[in-house]
Amino acid sequence: MNIFRLAGDVCHLVAIIILLLKIWRSRSCAGISGKSQVLFAIVFTTRYLDLFTVFISPYNTIMKVVFLALSYATVYLIYMRFRNTFNSENDSFRLEFLLVPVIGLSFLENYAFTPLEILWTFSIFLESVAIMPQLFMITKTGEAESITTHYLFFLGLYRALYIANWVWRYHTEGFFDQIAVVSGVVQTIFYIDFFYLYVTKVLRGRGKMTLP
Amino acid sequence: DEDLQTKDEL
């Protein structure tokens, strides 16, 4: 554990809580991609199956359970509790375009051809593209509420901090997880364009972010 | 598999 990793996990948690509170307090999931949230729930489910096989630390176990619970709670709010506020017509990203290549790649490129390893690899690859339905939705509607942009900012910050964590671990422990690092870098690239808009539009302006 | 690193990251 190092400061980048801890800060990354905290940003990830903050992002998820921001989204959950936004939906809960506004009683609405307008502008939120339910598909991205379902993908994140699948990511956590397939990655954290090792909860049943290895014990790493109390921190590790608690965070995994919290991420799982919060991601399912988010999906529940979007598709059940506040489903009448959900803009399904704007959440039109075709999931098979992500799932088919990700499933294929996780069978081809993994550390061991075992069910748990393939599912772990699948979760890493899927996480790297899971935000695409949300970004697609913002591009389609041309705007995002500022609270949604804060969510995306913390999610992007989490990814950037994980890269710092890997640089740190490489230099201090010689640790290098090729699958996680390559996917993590790809994932972070998706946020760069958004970061630019966030700083220029949201932080300097007020209210919604509108695309140029 | 003993070659696999423990996946301690979230």
Side-chain angles (χ1 to χ4, degrees):
Chain A
M1 180 62 78
N2 58 65
I3 189 67
F4 303 111
R5 165 70 204 288
L6 184 63
D9 288 345
V10 169
C11 285
H12 196 182
L13 197 58
V14 166
I16 293 171
I17 291 172
I18 284 176
L19 187 70
L20 207 54
L21 280 182
K22 171 215 150 41
I23 298 172
W24 185 253
R25 294 171 92 169
S26 67
R27 326 296 289 176
S28 163
C29 51
I32 302 301
S33 165
K35 286 181 178 173
S36 276
Q37 296 309 312
V38 168
L39 292 182
F40 282 126
I42 296 172
V43 163
F44 290 135
T45 308
T46 50
R47 186 174 309 165
Y48 298 161
L49 289 171
D50 64 354
L51 275 172
F52 300 103
T53 59
V54 286
F55 176 76
I56 294 163
S57 65
Y59 172 84
N60 191 276
T61 302
I62 292 166
M63 290 296 268
K64 282 174 173 171
V65 172
V66 168
F67 281 145
L68 277 166
L70 294 181
S71 70
Y72 278 96
T74 307
V75 169
Y76 165 77
L77 291 185
I78 295 172
Y79 285 100
M80 310 282 280
R81 182 108 188 203
F82 302 123
R83 68 175 177 275
N84 52 339
T85 64
F86 174 51
N87 324 115
S88 55
E89 66 281 1
N90 286 328
D91 194 14
S92 52
F93 194 92
R94 301 275 295 274
L95 287 188
E96 59 270 33
F97 292 156
L98 297 181
L99 288 172
V100 170
V102 163
I103 290 169
L105 261 183
S106 53
F107 275 91
L108 288 173
E109 185 68 44
N110 50 58
Y111 293 133
F113 204 77
T114 61
L116 271 184
E117 278 299 318
I118 292 170
L119 285 168
W120 177 84
T121 311
F122 167 78
S123 83
I124 294 287
F125 290 153
L126 185 61
E127 186 186 355
S128 69
V129 293
I131 201 61
M132 288 179 83
Q134 180 66 62
L135 296 176
F136 176 76
M137 194 173 184
I138 292 174
T139 309
K140 194 177 174 189
T141 60
E143 61 179 32
E145 282 180 56
S146 56
I147 189 82
T148 310
T149 66
H150 300 328
Y151 162 71
L152 286 167
F153 173 75
F154 275 100
L155 215 50
L157 194 57
Y158 141 64
R159 294 315 315 180
L161 285 162
Y162 254 70
I163 292 180
N165 157 57
W166 290 324
V167 171
W168 177 265
R169 290 190 71 176
Y170 181 75
H171 285 290
T172 55
E173 313 164 27
F175 171 89
F176 180 69
D177 183 331
Q178 189 185 324
I179 290 177
V181 171
V182 172
S183 316
V185 170
V186 168
Q187 186 177 354
T188 311
I189 290 169
F190 290 134
Y191 289 92
I192 290 177
D193 184 43
F194 166 79
F195 272 136
Y196 173 76
L197 286 172
Y198 183 78
V199 172
T200 56
K201 299 259 176 186
V202 181
L203 295 185
R204 291 183 194 165
R206 291 276 180 271
K208 288 184 173 183
M209 176 177 88
T210 46
L211 297 182
Chain B
D1 193 57
E2 68 275 9
D3 290 339
L4 292 175
Q5 287 170 310
T6 308
K7 296 178 175 68
D8 65 318
E9 293 183 346
L10 298 165

